[in-house]
Amino acid sequence: MENGQILRERSQALDRELAGVLMKISDTAERAARNIMMLRMKRKAKGVKLYDKRNDGQPGR
């Protein structure tokens, strides 16, 4: 095999691996965003102010 061809194949393999890692990151970020939205909805349903710094688990007064 020619040296250039070996480098191209190696580069393609690394590109495929990187694409896989980026897809996993994207999936994780999407799940995190979904979980954050669900938590916000639960807090809102309980009457907790989103920016209440006391955050003692009690609804904002």
Side-chain angles (χ1 to χ4, degrees):
M1 244 188 232
E2 180 181 304
N3 200 21
Q5 184 178 357
I6 293 171
L7 289 176
R8 277 190 300 277
E9 289 176 4
R10 170 97 178 161
S11 178
Q12 289 173 349
L14 289 172
D15 286 346
R16 284 190 296 273
E17 186 177 352
L18 177 59
V21 169
L22 292 175
M23 288 298 292
K24 287 180 184 179
I25 290 170
S26 176
D27 290 344
T28 301
E30 187 176 331
R31 280 194 310 271
R34 194 169 29 248
N35 288 339
I36 288 169
M37 291 304 294
M38 289 173 56
L39 288 171
R40 283 183 177 169
M41 289 177 7
K42 286 180 184 179
R43 288 183 64 159
K44 187 175 182 179
K46 290 181 179 180
V48 176
K49 293 182 182 176
L50 292 178
Y51 299 105
D52 188 355
K53 291 194 179 204
R54 291 177 300 205
N55 197 12
D56 57 357
Q58 299 298 320
R61 296 178 192 169

